[in-house]
Amino acid sequence: METETVPGRCACGAVQYRLQSRPMFVHCCHCRDCQRQTGSAFVLNALIETDRIAQASGELDAIAVPTDSGRPHRIFRCTHCQTALWSEYGGVAKLRFVRVGTLDEPAALAPDVHIYTRSKLPWVSLPPGVSAFEAYYDSSKLWPPESLARRRAVMT
Ligand SMILES: [Zn+2]
Ligand SMILES: [Zn+2]
């Protein structure tokens, strides 16, 4: 495992955390759920093992939100300022989708893939050569082998 760690925090600073390794993969999701939940054009999610998020301070509320798929989705927010720090999908407690915008240096984790581009806002242009899909994608074809192994480990 790499020794590099990546710091982040909520808007008020009560929640401080560090990612203790690089994530498995980074999604830029342009789906309508993500647009509505963020109030913005897309969400940036770094997929990482829950036990690789070292939370140094603060308390989180886990807020269940409705989804098109009906699968559970909880958003973890600072109890003070309600900044969304990460999500849990499908009740998989060992996996977190960390909001890249809460990192001290969000540019450090560029998206590996753009998904649900069918609802991408028309004035958002994607860089040439980036992986992009109208809906979801086949992670077995896109993820590096070590990331697939990490995901297998958290799903068992
Ligand atoms: Zn806060
Ligand atoms: Zn989405």
Side-chain angles (χ1 to χ4, degrees):
M1 197 168 106
E2 296 162 75
T3 51
E4 173 189 10
T5 68
V6 182
R9 63 173 180 86
C10 65
C12 79
V15 177
Q16 305 271 347
Y17 70 92
R18 299 187 82 91
L19 304 185
Q20 295 184 297
S21 77
R22 302 286 294 182
M24 301 175 203
F25 218 64
V26 179
H27 286 172
C28 182
C29 185
H30 302 261
C31 85
R32 291 292 296 122
D33 278 346
C34 289
Q35 288 170 341
R36 192 175 299 283
Q37 287 154 13
T38 60
S40 189
F42 52 75
V43 74
L44 291 166
N45 282 325
L47 281 65
I48 193 165
E49 297 88 338
T50 304
D51 64 9
R52 294 192 189 189
I53 304 172
Q55 190 182 333
S57 62
E59 302 283 330
L60 299 172
D61 286 329
I63 310 292
V65 290
T67 58
D68 284 344
S69 66
R71 297 182 72 224
H73 174 201
R74 294 195 300 160
I75 301 177
F76 290 76
R77 296 178 174 276
C78 169
T79 55
H80 287 281
C81 70
Q82 294 292 305
T83 298
L85 291 145
W86 45 78
S87 282
E88 175 191 274
Y89 285 95
V92 181
K94 292 182 186 171
L95 182 62
R96 292 286 180 258
F97 288 58
V98 175
R99 298 286 192 276
V100 172
T102 65
L103 298 174
D104 290 0
E105 292 185 47
L109 298 181
D112 294 306
V113 66
H114 290 260
I115 57 177
Y116 292 100
T117 60
R118 66 188 178 200
S119 49
K120 179 177 74 62
L121 296 186
W123 38 262
V124 172
S125 309
L126 302 186
V130 74
S131 293
F133 297 89
E134 285 274 299
Y136 208 67
Y137 69 103
D138 183 353
S139 53
S140 70
K141 294 195 173 113
L142 221 57
W143 286 32
E146 62 271 24
S147 292
L148 287 169
R150 285 168 63 184
R151 191 180 58 178
R152 271 195 302 277
V154 301
M155 300 303 278
T156 51

